[in-house]
Amino acid sequence: MDVYNGTTVTHFILIGLSDLPEVRYPLFVAFAIIYQVTLVGNGAILLAIGTEAKLHTPMYYFLANLSLLDMFCPSTTVPKMLHNLLTEDHSISFVGCALQLYFLVALAGTEVFLLAVMAYDRYVAICFPLRYSVIITKARCAQLVSGTWAAGFLNSTIHTVSTFSLSFCRSNLVHQYYCDIPPVVALSCSSTYVAEMLVLVVGGFSGSISFLTTLISYVYIISTILKIQSAEGKRKAFSTCTSHLLVVCLFYGTAIFTYIRPSSSRHSPARDRLISMLYGVITPMLNPIIYSLRNTEVKKALRRAVCGRVCSL
């Protein structure tokens, strides 16, 4: 359903995967399972950290916030996507689209900043182990986490206001399964210069700073580890940051593949949208798996938490 020229848009139509009707129900089952695994996996990480006193440290405090983000972020898009896969009603109200975009950009931005903070935390722990408790205090930890959330939501406020201040009077077909800045801005019938420049300047600057912070931290971390003489010392040092490094590679890898990869005429738009789900759906599911498999302390805490729950029944 399209909106004719001259008519103000009051709602949008999320295209989603509607042009692949033969796989709608298999996709519903697949993504419902993925979403449940995401919630259970990240919830288990939160349970382990909350119930295990040994894990009440800055590194796991940051991990708990990452798990919260990995629960909240897909929750802004997946329930609506599952609803669209089952029904013929793919519409979303103007306000609903604005709210979805706002929370999605805010949570994704917060995760970018948090990954940079977690990289800095590992940098201090490995490069300055004797000063770690002095530099990364509880107060500093709380400031860093609150700063990442505030920066993420402030960044989203700027982009959401600039996007939905535009005039929409042409098509209302959003070529994505959720409301995102590029497909929504593409529907505007007014000048999009300011909105696009804000994405380029504000988003590009904050994203670049976060990426460079993460990259530089790991350059120093790897350099420091390589200077350790004993193989056992290197192994222990690497074990404290490999989980986070894998999560960083997964996050930036899927983001780059989703937003920067060249378009190909061999893929239909629906298949391109399916590929974009790597970024918003698959990554949050894999993060707790990576941490639970790679981190011995988390695995032990999970076993104790699960065993304690089962034994108390």
Side-chain angles (χ1 to χ4, degrees):
M1 186 176 101
D2 225 345
V3 172
Y4 298 103
N5 290 341
T7 303
T8 302
V9 171
T10 58
H11 67 281
F12 296 96
I13 305 297
L14 301 174
I15 299 296
L17 302 172
S18 59
D19 54 347
L20 290 176
E22 68 278 4
V23 296
R24 280 197 306 147
Y25 295 115
L27 282 175
F28 173 84
V29 173
F31 285 108
I33 292 173
I34 289 172
Y35 183 51
Q36 292 299 317
V37 171
T38 300
L39 295 181
V40 171
N42 285 288
I45 295 290
L46 289 172
L47 176 65
I49 294 173
T51 56
E52 183 62 50
K54 287 176 61 179
L55 302 185
H56 293 173
T57 62
M59 183 178 82
Y60 293 106
Y61 180 58
F62 295 138
L63 176 57
N65 278 268
L66 180 64
S67 292
L68 279 175
L69 288 168
D70 284 338
M71 293 175 73
F72 293 157
C73 200
S75 295
T76 63
T77 59
V78 175
K80 179 62 177 173
M81 179 190 70
L82 294 176
H83 175 266
N84 291 350
L85 286 170
L86 283 183
T87 68
E88 295 299 322
D89 180 19
H90 296 170
S91 66
I92 183 171
S93 68
F94 188 91
V95 174
C97 185
L99 288 173
Q100 186 183 65
L101 186 146
Y102 173 72
F103 284 107
L104 180 64
V105 174
L107 294 168
T110 301
E111 186 160 350
V112 170
F113 299 138
L114 182 62
L115 289 174
V117 167
M118 293 174 76
Y120 172 73
D121 172 71
R122 293 299 83 206
Y123 159 73
V124 175
I126 292 174
C127 298
F128 305 99
L130 299 179
R131 297 176 57 195
Y132 179 77
S133 59
V134 177
I135 298 173
I136 308 295
T137 61
K138 288 185 178 180
R140 179 69 56 80
C141 189
Q143 290 170 356
L144 288 171
V145 169
S146 59
T148 61
W149 284 86
F153 277 82
L154 176 61
N155 177 64
S156 182
T157 300
I158 294 171
H159 294 306
T160 304
V161 170
S162 68
T163 298
F164 287 92
S165 295
L166 300 171
S167 298
F168 299 95
C169 54
R170 295 174 182 167
S171 172
N172 65 342
L173 297 176
V174 178
H175 289 273
Q176 188 52 278
Y177 72 95
Y178 58 90
C179 290
D180 198 5
I181 295 173
V184 172
V185 168
L187 302 179
S188 174
C189 55
S190 57
S191 173
T192 60
Y193 177 78
V194 174
E196 290 173 348
M197 286 304 296
L198 282 173
V199 170
L200 183 63
V201 176
V202 178
F205 176 77
S206 58
S208 298
I209 291 297
S210 299
F211 177 76
L212 287 174
T213 299
T214 304
L215 180 64
I216 293 171
S217 295
Y218 272 101
V219 168
Y220 278 103
I221 287 170
I222 293 172
S223 175
T224 300
I225 291 175
L226 291 177
K227 293 176 183 177
I228 298 175
Q229 298 298 321
S230 67
E232 181 64 18
K234 289 181 179 179
R235 187 192 65 79
K236 287 183 177 179
F238 268 120
S239 68
T240 66
C241 62
T242 49
S243 294
H244 178 256
L245 184 58
L246 285 172
V247 168
V248 167
C249 292
L250 183 64
F251 180 87
Y252 281 106
T254 53
I256 291 170
F257 184 74
T258 299
Y259 291 105
I260 304 178
R261 69 187 181 89
S263 59
S264 172
S265 58
R266 292 175 295 176
H267 296 292
S268 70
R271 287 185 175 82
D272 286 341
R273 291 192 291 273
L274 184 61
I275 291 171
S276 75
M277 292 178 187
L278 285 169
Y279 180 70
V281 179
I282 305 299
T283 301
M285 178 191 70
L286 294 178
N287 286 351
I289 296 175
I290 291 171
Y291 272 99
S292 61
L293 290 178
R294 297 288 307 177
N295 193 300
T296 304
E297 291 184 341
V298 172
K299 283 193 287 188
K300 290 179 180 178
L302 279 173
R303 288 196 199 100
R304 281 192 287 268
V306 172
C307 290
R309 294 282 178 176
V310 172
C311 294
S312 64
L313 295 177

